[in-house]
Amino acid sequence: QVKMQESGPGLVNPSQTLSLICSVSGGSITTTDYYWSWVRQPPGSEMEWMGAIAWNGRVIESDEFRDRASISRDTSKNQFTLQLSSVTPEDTALYFCTRARQMSVAGKTKFEYDSWGQGTQVTVSS
């Protein structure tokens, strides 16, 4: 069974860069057709997909975070990371790493999210 765990600071000062690491075990982040994603949930809000790095190293970012987010990976450690620059209190959220499998449903590309980390709370405050 694939297991994922987020790690990083729980408190970040405004204007600083948030750095999170997702450690993966039980499966390789280079396995074909899987995307390794970052999702966050602000207080009282729905999940927000931020971006992902695919099995082949391709990075896909949400338009909302394209200018501030950077996703990378270390295949030797089976880890992938999120760096979110210039954070503000609006970036306070529960951050998750998750795995999605690319699949075709009714002729359209869909993604099945089949593994999640437990989430890590990040608060941006001075």
Side-chain angles (χ1 to χ4, degrees):
Q1 182 179 2
V2 173
K3 294 183 179 180
M4 308 174 69
Q5 183 173 346
E6 306 88 349
S7 61
L11 182 65
V12 184
N13 291 327
S15 81
Q16 299 299 302
T17 296
L18 169 65
S19 296
L20 298 175
I21 297 174
C22 183
S23 299
V24 179
S25 62
S28 173
I29 62 174
T30 64
T31 299
T32 301
D33 287 345
Y34 283 97
Y35 291 77
W36 305 86
S37 305
W38 288 100
V39 181
R40 74 180 190 183
Q41 186 175 32
S45 300
E46 298 295 322
M47 291 285 190
E48 298 178 344
W49 181 79
M50 303 182 71
I53 185 164
W55 73 96
N56 58 5
R58 179 184 178 187
V59 176
I60 304 172
E61 294 138 342
S62 168
D63 289 342
E64 181 180 356
F65 301 101
R66 191 177 309 277
D67 293 336
R68 296 197 296 132
S70 178
I71 298 173
S72 59
R73 67 180 184 175
D74 185 340
T75 57
S76 68
K77 297 180 179 180
N78 212 37
Q79 297 176 333
F80 65 103
T81 66
L82 170 70
Q83 292 189 316
L84 185 66
S85 66
S86 303
V87 298
T88 73
E90 292 183 337
D91 293 311
T92 294
L94 186 62
Y95 285 75
F96 296 90
C97 58
T98 184
R99 183 180 76 167
R101 182 171 66 88
Q102 186 180 93
M103 58 190 298
S104 178
V105 178
K108 298 181 179 180
T109 300
K110 301 291 183 180
F111 296 91
E112 179 188 63
Y113 291 85
D114 63 359
S115 184
W116 293 76
Q118 66 181 19
T120 185
Q121 177 66 44
V122 176
T123 299
V124 180
S125 177
S126 61

